[in-house]
Amino acid sequence: MIKKEPIRFIPYLKSVIWGGGKICRYKGIVQTEAKIGESWEISAVAGHETVVAEGPYKGMKITELIDCFGPELLGSSVMERYDGKFPLLVKFIDANDNLSVQVHPDDALAGKRHDSLGKTELWYIIDADEGAKIYSGLNREMTPEEYVERVKDDSIEEVLAVHDSHPGDVFFLPAGRVHAIGAGNLLAEIQESSDITYRIYDYGRKDANGKPRELHTDLAKDAIDYTYRNDYKSANAEESVADAVLAECDHFTVHRILLDGELTLEHNDKSFTVLMCIEGNASVGYEGGSMSFKAGETLLLPAALDYVTLRGKATLLTAKA
């Protein structure tokens, strides 16, 4: 039987060409590599499975926990739907430079091509430099043929919908939506458990070997949703709402919680809960103990955990599959 307590993992820090130094400062940890662009907080992606940081399961990969405890960790509904696999990937992202313009396939296309889940995701802006932008969707209708021509002549940026970025902004990005994170953004990302990205445009940057980074023009062509919409930005949660729904889709449900005092999160046995601290400090109490929780940290609440009691002043995100 799994211990009914939150689980903390060692984040996987990923050094990338567009990364910087904000993540380690935000998390209060020592930066040992240059250009850290991503902190994979909870991951079951093959080769990058996060490892338990402390407690009775210290040193175990998340996949090993699932092998041992199955539905007690994942939840009965998640266990059945995803055949015992952890369905989410949770990150912090620091865009010191613009990320490539890209798109992700949906479940059907990713399953056919890669035997993988697709990639629908949500971004919650933690911090943004003055003038920072988010690129999400198209600013007008575009055909697949025009897309190919614009990739060839480096004009794809002209048809991207551009949004000013501010702390607390929310962007929901279903698979198929063309997007990019602009320089100056620090954000939390909750997504399907997939590392499949089709790169469309990369500003002519070179990789570590001095070669242009690979583009996936043909793969992306069939993955893009070419539909134009008037507004691609999600409505921000009102500051007066202590528990606000940020996204509710087939893949995940995400809430933003403004903790000011004490709050009990009750659980059922259908799904685990991911708990991310965006700002502030809190304690997480459970039957038999409590643990500290601060900005830049993430906990996994097993499905078998009946409840936790949160105390403090903090902005939190919760995610269920």
Side-chain angles (χ1 to χ4, degrees):
M1 180 176 293
I2 195 168
K3 287 189 173 294
K4 294 185 177 183
E5 58 186 50
I7 301 172
R8 198 191 311 262
F9 292 86
I10 301 170
Y12 164 64
L13 301 179
K14 188 174 181 181
S15 181
V16 289
I17 193 171
W18 42 261
K22 288 182 180 177
I23 284 178
C24 291
R25 291 195 298 271
Y26 175 59
K27 294 175 72 67
I29 59 178
V30 176
Q31 182 159 341
T32 57
E33 293 183 72
K35 295 187 175 182
I36 298 297
E38 300 186 2
S39 175
W40 291 22
E41 299 289 291
I42 303 178
S43 166
V45 173
H48 301 303
E49 300 93 342
T50 44
V51 174
V52 179
E54 60 194 15
Y57 308 123
K58 182 178 180 179
M60 292 180 67
K61 295 180 179 179
I62 187 171
T63 46
E64 294 172 328
L65 287 177
I66 295 170
D67 289 342
C68 289
F69 302 113
E72 292 181 88
L73 181 76
L74 292 180
S76 56
S77 295
V78 175
M79 186 76 183
E80 181 177 355
R81 179 180 179 185
Y82 293 100
D83 193 27
K85 295 180 175 62
F86 194 77
L88 299 182
L89 174 57
V90 182
K91 305 176 182 177
F92 292 113
I93 294 179
D94 169 21
N96 190 57
D97 197 357
N98 290 332
L99 273 70
S100 60
V101 178
Q102 54 191 237
V103 73
H104 307 300
D106 62 16
D107 287 352
L109 189 58
K112 178 181 178 181
R113 287 179 174 173
H114 310 285
D115 191 27
S116 169
L117 292 175
K119 190 173 175 183
T120 288
E121 55 194 4
L122 175 139
W123 295 338
Y124 183 93
I125 308 300
I126 299 168
D127 193 21
D129 295 346
E130 185 176 354
K133 307 293 183 184
I134 290 290
Y135 304 86
S136 176
L138 305 173
N139 60 29
R140 61 171 181 78
E141 291 285 348
M142 182 173 64
T143 65
E145 292 73 26
E146 182 185 356
Y147 150 74
V148 172
E149 289 304 312
R150 285 189 174 276
V151 170
K152 288 180 180 178
D153 65 16
D154 291 336
S155 66
I156 193 70
E157 286 183 283
E158 295 177 7
V159 294
L160 299 182
V162 184
H163 314 269
D164 293 330
S165 179
H166 307 95
D169 285 350
V170 178
F171 293 87
F172 175 70
L173 299 108
R177 183 166 295 173
V178 176
H179 62 272
I181 303 173
N185 283 290
L186 176 68
L187 58 84
E189 179 178 88
I190 295 166
Q191 58 160 94
E192 292 182 82
S193 182
S194 168
D195 198 27
I196 298 170
T197 294
Y198 297 155
R199 189 181 296 124
I200 294 171
Y201 177 69
D202 198 43
Y203 319 98
R205 286 186 294 209
K206 303 292 196 297
D207 63 18
N209 298 315
K211 297 181 179 179
R213 296 215 295 168
E214 181 183 6
L215 301 181
H216 309 102
T217 306
D218 290 337
L219 290 172
K221 181 181 178 182
D222 296 332
I224 293 172
D225 177 3
Y226 294 95
T227 307
Y228 166 72
R229 292 174 174 79
N230 290 326
D231 191 1
Y232 293 94
K233 182 181 174 184
S234 302
N236 283 8
E238 295 182 15
E239 287 300 317
S240 60
V241 179
D243 186 350
V245 178
L246 302 185
E248 198 167 15
C249 66
D250 289 342
H251 313 291
F252 49 72
T253 298
V254 178
H255 286 234
R256 185 218 60 192
I257 294 174
L258 299 178
L259 177 66
D260 189 3
E262 182 175 309
L263 175 69
T264 297
L265 284 184
E266 295 185 348
H267 231 204
N268 60 47
D269 62 359
K270 296 184 182 299
S271 173
F272 62 86
T273 298
V274 172
L275 184 63
M276 305 182 79
C277 189
I278 300 301
E279 184 179 17
N281 294 271
S283 66
V284 183
Y286 52 93
E287 188 174 352
S290 68
M291 61 177 61
S292 61
F293 192 43
K294 65 180 178 64
E297 294 184 336
T298 304
L299 298 174
L300 179 63
L301 310 182
L305 181 59
D306 300 319
Y307 70 92
V308 293
T309 301
L310 307 171
R311 297 182 179 90
K313 188 174 181 62
T315 300
L316 310 171
L317 298 184
T318 66
K320 293 176 179 285

